[in-house]
Amino acid sequence: MLDILNYSREAGGSLVAAKDRLEEGEKITLEKNTVICNKKMTVAFFAEDSVCVRAGHGCNEYSASYAEIDSEEIKVFFTGAETTAVLSRCHGLSIRGEVNLVISVGYGKADILLSAGGKSYEIKDVMWAGRNGNIFVQSVKGIPEKVAVRWYCGDYAKKIYAVGDSYFNPAAKERWTSYLLENGWCGQLLLGYPGMNSMTGLSEFKQAITVGKPDFAVWCLGMNDPDSESGINESYRKATDEFVIICREKGITPVLSTIPNVTSRTNVYKNRYVRSSKLRYIDFSRAVNPDLEAGEWYSGTLCPDGVHPSAPGAKALFIRAITDFPEFMNY
């Protein structure tokens, strides 16, 4: 049984929802978003009998993470090709009476704090890559009562919003965004998940600007909308055109990007479109493609999967990003 409830957004951006009781299998479902970093989730409930509760960002979706607590353990799961447990610990608490769970996600890792019966248990720096699907709380076993959930992300207040796909990761050395954060340049809201296409990215951007208003919006989508041999991907072009229009209407400076070509996916036409747009852009393709209209990369810069950068490739993309858009270094 699935229970999708109405939720509200408070002044300041917090999402909130509550329910008197959750029957076994019921779920409180909040917003679906692709926020990657700096998000906080809190859950409070009353447990009269034994319960098992899940809470997180996505469940079965690709790139979902959630925590599960029962009378003995706290577990953290990640969904990639399949759902796997990345951590399992005995918490030693009596999950009775008032119970509070806090999940604080930073850059690829989370701190989790659990309290019950006047005692607490804390986990530091557990892997947390959840950034796709709905924010949720679910009763897996038992009937928790007086359930309240709150979710907040401070990055909506930042001056740069960047929308991307699997090339975005806050911690992996094979992803260029990790080098921004490594250098302390944390002034951006990062949106996206592996496999995200341009139309979905547009929807995510539209949702994000209902909460905050950046000075700049950086558009890094297109790898999952490859061009044909004869022309630009129309879905990419429509999404990008609308992105630019929205930015202009809202007084936001749009920053486009070229997309590296690989042997299995061509982005030649979208890159021509970007370079001729008369808008600011980051020339990622120029950082790794010696021939701007071929799929070969400089030696050692491409991963064996033929689509994603290696660590040296990611570093090259990072340097190009701050070369063409030095505002990344201002915040």
Side-chain angles (χ1 to χ4, degrees):
M1 179 166 53
L2 178 65
D3 188 9
I4 299 179
L5 300 182
N6 290 327
Y7 59 88
S8 61
R9 189 181 293 278
E10 294 184 331
S14 289
L15 302 176
V16 295
K19 197 171 190 298
D20 287 340
R21 55 192 275 141
L22 280 182
E23 300 295 334
E24 196 165 290
E26 276 191 318
K27 182 185 291 187
I28 296 176
T29 304
L30 278 70
E31 179 181 273
K32 181 177 182 179
N33 67 43
T34 60
V35 173
I36 299 175
C37 307
N38 295 327
K39 47 198 178 178
K40 321 298 179 184
M41 183 177 188
T42 65
V43 182
F45 61 88
F46 181 87
E48 189 169 310
D49 298 309
S50 178
V51 297
C52 177
V53 174
R54 288 178 180 169
H57 192 161
C59 187
N60 298 316
E61 295 86 354
Y62 191 83
S63 292
S65 291
Y66 61 88
E68 180 179 288
I69 57 172
D70 60 22
S71 59
E72 296 182 355
E73 294 181 309
I74 180 167
K75 299 177 181 178
V76 176
F77 295 87
F78 172 70
T79 301
E82 58 184 20
T83 300
T84 58
V86 298
L87 177 141
S88 180
R89 299 266 183 88
C90 293
H91 52 65
L93 305 181
S94 175
I95 306 298
R96 293 286 195 279
E98 297 292 340
V99 180
N100 294 281
L101 174 67
V102 178
I103 304 171
S104 178
V105 181
Y107 297 108
K109 294 184 179 181
D111 296 338
I112 300 175
L113 182 62
L114 176 65
S115 69
K119 297 182 179 180
S120 63
Y121 183 80
E122 188 171 12
I123 296 171
K124 289 281 193 181
D125 291 335
V126 61
M127 178 198 138
W128 191 280
R131 47 169 159 156
N132 185 24
N134 290 86
I135 300 148
F136 77 97
V137 176
Q138 181 181 25
S139 171
V140 179
K141 175 185 176 184
I143 305 175
E145 300 178 333
K146 302 176 184 177
V147 183
V149 56
R150 185 179 295 269
W151 182 91
Y152 174 77
C153 176
D155 281 356
Y156 285 117
K158 294 184 174 178
K159 299 300 184 181
I160 301 170
Y161 287 8
V163 193
D165 45 36
S166 60
Y167 274 48
F168 279 20
N169 186 294
K173 296 297 185 183
E174 297 80 16
R175 301 295 181 263
W176 70 267
T177 49
S178 70
Y179 296 99
L180 282 177
L181 307 175
E182 183 180 282
N183 281 278
W185 300 323
C186 305
Q188 54 279 325
L189 169 73
L190 295 177
L191 302 169
Y193 64 87
M196 190 166 83
N197 61 32
S198 300
M199 281 297 182
T200 302
L202 177 64
S203 177
E204 292 298 314
F205 176 68
K206 288 179 177 179
Q207 180 171 279
I209 60 174
T210 66
V211 185
K213 180 183 177 296
D215 292 339
F216 302 93
V218 185
W219 184 251
C220 300
L221 291 166
M223 184 62 85
N224 297 306
D225 301 289
D227 296 337
S228 69
E229 293 183 0
S230 59
I232 191 171
N233 183 290
E234 285 300 321
S235 180
Y236 166 84
R237 184 165 65 178
K238 288 178 182 178
T240 306
D241 285 346
E242 187 171 350
F243 165 79
V244 172
I245 290 169
I246 292 170
C247 286
R248 287 172 169 165
E249 290 175 346
K250 298 291 185 180
I252 301 167
T253 300
V255 181
L256 305 183
S257 64
T258 62
I259 306 301
N261 293 294
V262 294
T263 55
S264 61
R265 307 180 195 185
T266 181
N267 296 298
V268 168
Y269 292 98
K270 66 170 59 71
N271 290 346
R272 291 179 184 174
Y273 159 91
V274 168
R275 293 188 179 107
S276 65
S277 67
K278 299 183 181 179
L279 297 171
R280 291 192 64 179
Y281 65 92
I282 300 170
D283 205 342
F284 286 125
S285 174
R286 194 174 296 276
V288 292
N289 292 137
D291 181 340
L292 297 183
E293 301 205 349
E296 298 301 318
W297 286 36
Y298 289 111
S299 177
T301 60
L302 186 65
C303 270
D305 67 9
V307 175
H308 299 94
S310 64
K315 194 67 173 286
L317 296 174
F318 156 71
I319 294 171
R320 190 74 204 194
I322 61 174
T323 298
D324 291 339
F325 187 63
E327 287 86 347
F328 273 134
M329 300 183 284
N330 287 346
Y331 304 99

